[in-house]
Amino acid sequence: MASKPPMLWSLLRCKCPNCRKGNLFTQRSVFPLRSMLQMHTHCTECGAKLVEESNNGPGINFVLTTLLLFLNILWYYPIFGLSYTDNSVYYFLASSVSVVLLLQPWLMRLARSVYLYLIWMTRE
Ligand SMILES: [Zn+2]
């Protein structure tokens, strides 16, 4: 148990929630996008079941997307500034949405990873 890599680190790198060594996805990278969500049904390292009956993270993906949308304010505000007196709020929203869309492939994978870790934690 002590030799396991840290949980958050494994979660972000989409590793098996049980041993934290095997990969969740068959592809290391999100490219090609067509097969980026293909997952191993069982962990290649420990054999833990990785595919659940409702194994998708649209709900969590939505949460992450919304979260990221607002987190964008952290870099946008110091650089460009926000004000209610001009259109900067709209520029912020537009740039925020483009960032979220660009990061979507990684968000979708991360959402599945988060979902599996949540299931795993409720089991223990
Ligand atoms: Zn494993």
Side-chain angles (χ1 to χ4, degrees), residues 56-65 107 110-112 114-116 118:
N56 48 56
I60 290 173
N61 186 37
F62 174 75
V63 172
L64 287 179
T65 303
L107 276 184
L110 190 62
R112 290 192 176 212
V114 169
Y115 184 84
L116 261 179
L118 284 178

Side-chain angles (χ1 to χ4, degrees), residues 10-29:
S10 319
L11 192 157
L12 289 175
R13 295 180 64 216
C14 294
K15 295 288 182 184
C16 163
N18 187 40
C19 63
R20 293 174 195 164
K21 282 172 189 152
N23 289 316
L24 288 182
F25 296 96
T26 50
Q27 285 175 203
R28 286 187 80 83
S29 148

